[in-house]
Short mmCIF file of all heavy atoms in Angstrom, two decimals:
data_model
loop_
_atom_site.label_atom_id
_atom_site.label_comp_id
_atom_site.label_asym_id
_atom_site.label_seq_id
_atom_site.Cartn_x
_atom_site.Cartn_y
_atom_site.Cartn_z
N ALA E 307 15.24 9.41 19.02
CA ALA E 307 14.94 9.22 17.61
C ALA E 307 16.07 9.93 16.75
O ALA E 307 16.21 9.59 15.56
CB ALA E 307 13.60 9.82 17.33
N SER E 308 16.84 10.95 17.29
CA SER E 308 17.79 11.61 16.53
C SER E 308 19.13 10.79 16.38
O SER E 308 19.93 11.15 15.66
CB SER E 308 18.07 12.94 17.12
OG SER E 308 18.64 12.82 18.36
N VAL E 309 19.28 9.68 17.21
CA VAL E 309 20.47 8.89 17.17
C VAL E 309 20.39 8.00 15.96
O VAL E 309 19.35 7.49 15.56
CB VAL E 309 20.52 8.03 18.49
CG1 VAL E 309 21.64 7.07 18.43
CG2 VAL E 309 20.66 8.92 19.66
N ASP E 310 21.66 7.80 15.26
CA ASP E 310 21.59 6.96 14.10
C ASP E 310 21.54 5.48 14.62
O ASP E 310 22.46 5.05 15.28
CB ASP E 310 22.86 7.22 13.31
CG ASP E 310 23.02 6.43 12.03
OD1 ASP E 310 21.93 6.05 11.52
OD2 ASP E 310 24.03 6.13 11.56
N VAL E 311 20.51 4.84 14.22
CA VAL E 311 20.26 3.45 14.74
C VAL E 311 20.85 2.50 13.74
O VAL E 311 20.37 2.59 12.54
CB VAL E 311 18.74 3.21 14.97
CG1 VAL E 311 18.54 1.74 15.38
CG2 VAL E 311 18.13 4.16 15.97
N GLY E 312 21.77 1.69 14.09
CA GLY E 312 22.48 0.72 13.21
C GLY E 312 21.48 -0.33 12.75
O GLY E 312 20.51 -0.63 13.47
N LEU E 313 21.64 -0.83 11.58
CA LEU E 313 20.84 -1.84 10.96
C LEU E 313 21.67 -3.20 10.91
O LEU E 313 21.03 -4.26 10.60
CB LEU E 313 20.42 -1.59 9.59
CG LEU E 313 19.42 -0.29 9.50
CD1 LEU E 313 19.18 0.01 8.04
CD2 LEU E 313 18.21 -0.51 10.25
N ASP E 314 22.94 -3.25 11.19
CA ASP E 314 23.71 -4.42 11.10
C ASP E 314 23.43 -5.10 9.78
O ASP E 314 23.46 -4.38 8.76
CB ASP E 314 23.30 -5.38 12.22
CG ASP E 314 24.38 -6.56 12.40
OD1 ASP E 314 25.55 -6.27 12.12
OD2 ASP E 314 24.00 -7.70 12.91
N GLY E 315 23.28 -6.48 9.73
CA GLY E 315 23.14 -7.03 8.42
C GLY E 315 21.85 -6.82 7.65
O GLY E 315 21.73 -7.21 6.59
N LEU E 316 20.93 -6.23 8.44
CA LEU E 316 19.57 -5.94 7.83
C LEU E 316 19.70 -5.17 6.56
O LEU E 316 18.97 -5.31 5.57
CB LEU E 316 18.61 -5.32 8.90
CG LEU E 316 17.25 -5.17 8.54
CD1 LEU E 316 16.54 -6.41 8.22
CD2 LEU E 316 16.47 -4.47 9.66
N ALA E 317 20.66 -4.31 6.50
CA ALA E 317 20.82 -3.34 5.38
C ALA E 317 21.27 -4.11 4.12
O ALA E 317 21.09 -3.60 3.04
CB ALA E 317 21.89 -2.30 5.72
N LEU E 318 21.69 -5.37 4.31
CA LEU E 318 22.18 -6.22 3.18
C LEU E 318 21.06 -7.16 2.64
O LEU E 318 21.23 -7.81 1.77
CB LEU E 318 23.39 -6.93 3.48
CG LEU E 318 24.62 -6.07 4.00
CD1 LEU E 318 25.74 -6.99 4.39
CD2 LEU E 318 25.03 -5.26 2.78
N HIS E 319 19.89 -7.13 3.34
CA HIS E 319 18.84 -7.94 2.90
C HIS E 319 17.96 -7.24 1.86
O HIS E 319 17.56 -6.11 2.00
CB HIS E 319 17.84 -8.31 4.08
CG HIS E 319 18.45 -9.23 5.08
ND1 HIS E 319 18.24 -10.60 4.94
CD2 HIS E 319 19.24 -8.97 6.25
CE1 HIS E 319 18.86 -11.18 5.97
NE2 HIS E 319 19.43 -10.23 6.77
N VAL E 320 17.74 -7.88 0.65
CA VAL E 320 17.04 -7.31 -0.41
C VAL E 320 15.66 -7.06 0.03
O VAL E 320 15.05 -5.94 -0.29
CB VAL E 320 16.99 -8.31 -1.59
CG1 VAL E 320 16.11 -7.90 -2.62
CG2 VAL E 320 18.46 -8.58 -2.12
N GLY E 321 15.02 -7.93 0.82
CA GLY E 321 13.64 -7.77 1.23
C GLY E 321 13.44 -6.39 2.04
O GLY E 321 12.49 -5.74 1.85
N TYR E 322 14.45 -6.14 2.90
CA TYR E 322 14.32 -5.00 3.72
C TYR E 322 14.40 -3.77 2.87
O TYR E 322 13.74 -2.72 3.00
CB TYR E 322 15.51 -4.94 4.74
CG TYR E 322 15.50 -3.59 5.56
CD1 TYR E 322 14.56 -3.46 6.59
CD2 TYR E 322 16.40 -2.58 5.27
CE1 TYR E 322 14.50 -2.28 7.34
CE2 TYR E 322 16.33 -1.40 5.99
CZ TYR E 322 15.44 -1.26 6.98
OH TYR E 322 15.48 -0.09 7.75
N ALA E 323 15.43 -3.75 1.93
CA ALA E 323 15.59 -2.58 0.98
C ALA E 323 14.36 -2.38 0.06
O ALA E 323 13.92 -1.24 -0.04
CB ALA E 323 16.89 -2.76 0.11
N VAL E 324 13.78 -3.42 -0.38
CA VAL E 324 12.64 -3.39 -1.23
C VAL E 324 11.50 -2.86 -0.43
O VAL E 324 10.73 -1.98 -0.90
CB VAL E 324 12.31 -4.80 -1.90
CG1 VAL E 324 10.96 -4.76 -2.54
CG2 VAL E 324 13.37 -5.10 -2.93
N ARG E 325 11.28 -3.21 0.75
CA ARG E 325 10.15 -2.79 1.60
C ARG E 325 10.29 -1.33 1.87
O ARG E 325 9.43 -0.57 1.83
CB ARG E 325 10.06 -3.62 2.93
CG ARG E 325 9.13 -3.18 3.86
CD ARG E 325 7.70 -3.41 3.31
NE ARG E 325 6.72 -3.04 4.37
CZ ARG E 325 5.63 -2.46 4.18
NH1 ARG E 325 5.30 -2.15 2.95
NH2 ARG E 325 4.82 -2.13 5.13
N ARG E 326 11.53 -0.89 2.21
CA ARG E 326 11.75 0.58 2.47
C ARG E 326 11.49 1.46 1.29
O ARG E 326 10.82 2.44 1.27
CB ARG E 326 13.20 0.81 2.91
CG ARG E 326 13.50 0.21 4.26
CD ARG E 326 12.70 0.75 5.39
NE ARG E 326 13.02 2.19 5.51
CZ ARG E 326 12.58 2.88 6.48
NH1 ARG E 326 11.92 2.43 7.51
NH2 ARG E 326 12.78 4.17 6.51
N PHE E 327 11.90 0.87 0.09
CA PHE E 327 11.70 1.59 -1.16
C PHE E 327 10.18 1.56 -1.46
O PHE E 327 9.58 2.58 -1.89
CB PHE E 327 12.36 0.89 -2.36
CG PHE E 327 12.28 1.61 -3.61
CD1 PHE E 327 12.64 2.94 -3.82
CD2 PHE E 327 11.71 0.95 -4.79
CE1 PHE E 327 12.62 3.62 -4.95
CE2 PHE E 327 11.64 1.65 -5.95
CZ PHE E 327 12.11 2.93 -6.10
N GLN E 328 9.46 0.45 -1.15
CA GLN E 328 7.99 0.36 -1.39
C GLN E 328 7.27 1.44 -0.52
O GLN E 328 6.39 2.07 -0.94
CB GLN E 328 7.45 -0.95 -1.10
CG GLN E 328 6.02 -1.13 -1.23
CD GLN E 328 5.35 -2.28 -0.51
OE1 GLN E 328 5.95 -2.84 0.38
NE2 GLN E 328 4.20 -2.73 -0.98
N LEU E 329 7.71 1.56 0.69
CA LEU E 329 7.10 2.55 1.58
C LEU E 329 7.21 3.97 1.01
O LEU E 329 6.31 4.80 1.06
CB LEU E 329 7.73 2.43 3.04
CG LEU E 329 7.38 1.25 3.80
CD1 LEU E 329 8.23 1.22 5.05
CD2 LEU E 329 5.84 1.31 4.21
N TRP E 330 8.47 4.24 0.54
CA TRP E 330 8.71 5.60 -0.11
C TRP E 330 7.84 5.75 -1.31
O TRP E 330 7.20 6.78 -1.44
CB TRP E 330 10.26 5.77 -0.40
CG TRP E 330 10.42 7.14 -1.01
CD1 TRP E 330 10.80 8.20 -0.30
CD2 TRP E 330 10.48 7.45 -2.37
NE1 TRP E 330 10.85 9.28 -1.22
CE2 TRP E 330 10.62 8.87 -2.46
CE3 TRP E 330 10.16 6.75 -3.50
CZ2 TRP E 330 10.69 9.60 -3.66
CZ3 TRP E 330 10.14 7.47 -4.71
CH2 TRP E 330 10.44 8.83 -4.75
N ILE E 331 7.81 4.72 -2.08
CA ILE E 331 7.01 4.77 -3.35
C ILE E 331 5.51 5.06 -3.02
O ILE E 331 4.92 6.03 -3.59
CB ILE E 331 7.13 3.50 -4.13
CG1 ILE E 331 8.45 3.32 -4.80
CG2 ILE E 331 5.91 3.39 -5.21
CD1 ILE E 331 8.65 4.11 -6.04
N PHE E 332 5.00 4.38 -2.06
CA PHE E 332 3.58 4.49 -1.66
C PHE E 332 3.25 5.91 -1.22
O PHE E 332 2.34 6.58 -1.41
CB PHE E 332 3.11 3.45 -0.77
CG PHE E 332 2.63 2.18 -1.46
CD1 PHE E 332 3.37 1.53 -2.42
CD2 PHE E 332 1.47 1.64 -1.17
CE1 PHE E 332 3.00 0.35 -3.12
CE2 PHE E 332 0.93 0.41 -1.85
CZ PHE E 332 1.77 -0.08 -2.81
N GLN E 333 4.14 6.35 -0.21
CA GLN E 333 3.98 7.64 0.39
C GLN E 333 4.08 8.80 -0.72
O GLN E 333 3.25 9.66 -0.70
CB GLN E 333 5.12 7.88 1.41
CG GLN E 333 4.90 7.02 2.63
CD GLN E 333 6.05 7.04 3.59
OE1 GLN E 333 7.05 7.59 3.30
NE2 GLN E 333 5.86 6.48 4.79
N ASP E 334 4.98 8.63 -1.67
CA ASP E 334 5.09 9.74 -2.68
C ASP E 334 3.87 9.63 -3.59
O ASP E 334 3.29 10.71 -3.96
CB ASP E 334 6.37 9.48 -3.43
CG ASP E 334 6.52 10.64 -4.45
OD1 ASP E 334 6.91 11.76 -4.06
OD2 ASP E 334 6.24 10.47 -5.69
N PHE E 335 3.45 8.46 -3.95
CA PHE E 335 2.29 8.26 -4.82
C PHE E 335 1.06 8.89 -4.22
O PHE E 335 0.31 9.71 -4.70
CB PHE E 335 2.05 6.77 -5.17
CG PHE E 335 0.96 6.64 -6.18
CD1 PHE E 335 1.25 6.39 -7.54
CD2 PHE E 335 -0.43 6.50 -5.88
CE1 PHE E 335 0.25 6.07 -8.42
CE2 PHE E 335 -1.45 6.36 -6.69
CZ PHE E 335 -1.04 6.16 -8.06
N ILE E 336 0.81 8.56 -2.90
CA ILE E 336 -0.38 9.02 -2.27
C ILE E 336 -0.28 10.57 -2.11
O ILE E 336 -1.28 11.24 -2.33
CB ILE E 336 -0.44 8.38 -0.83
CG1 ILE E 336 -0.87 6.88 -0.99
CG2 ILE E 336 -1.50 9.08 0.11
CD1 ILE E 336 -0.67 6.04 0.19
N LYS E 337 0.90 11.06 -1.80
CA LYS E 337 1.01 12.56 -1.67
C LYS E 337 0.86 13.26 -3.08
O LYS E 337 0.12 14.22 -3.16
CB LYS E 337 2.46 12.85 -1.14
CG LYS E 337 2.75 14.36 -0.83
CD LYS E 337 4.06 14.57 -0.13
CE LYS E 337 5.13 14.66 -1.20
NZ LYS E 337 6.35 14.95 -0.69
N THR E 338 1.45 12.65 -4.10
CA THR E 338 1.29 13.22 -5.47
C THR E 338 -0.14 13.21 -6.00
O THR E 338 -0.58 14.16 -6.67
CB THR E 338 2.18 12.53 -6.54
OG1 THR E 338 3.55 12.52 -5.89
CG2 THR E 338 2.21 13.22 -7.75
N LEU E 339 -0.80 12.19 -5.54
CA LEU E 339 -2.32 12.03 -6.07
C LEU E 339 -3.39 12.37 -4.98
O LEU E 339 -4.46 12.17 -5.07
CB LEU E 339 -2.61 10.70 -6.59
CG LEU E 339 -2.11 10.36 -8.00
CD1 LEU E 339 -0.62 10.01 -8.08
CD2 LEU E 339 -2.91 9.43 -8.75
N ALA E 340 -2.93 13.09 -3.91
CA ALA E 340 -3.72 13.46 -2.76
C ALA E 340 -4.95 14.25 -3.25
O ALA E 340 -6.05 14.13 -2.75
CB ALA E 340 -2.91 14.09 -1.73
#
Side-chain angles (χ1 to χ4, degrees):
S308 64
V309 173
D310 185 26
V311 178
L313 296 175
D314 193 30
L316 189 58
L318 300 175
H319 287 270
V320 172
Y322 178 77
V324 168
R325 177 68 176 141
R326 296 296 301 191
F327 185 58
Q328 179 197 24
L329 289 170
W330 181 87
I331 287 281
F332 274 51
Q333 288 169 352
D334 186 76
F335 187 97
I336 290 165
K337 186 172 84 176
T338 305
L339 280 84

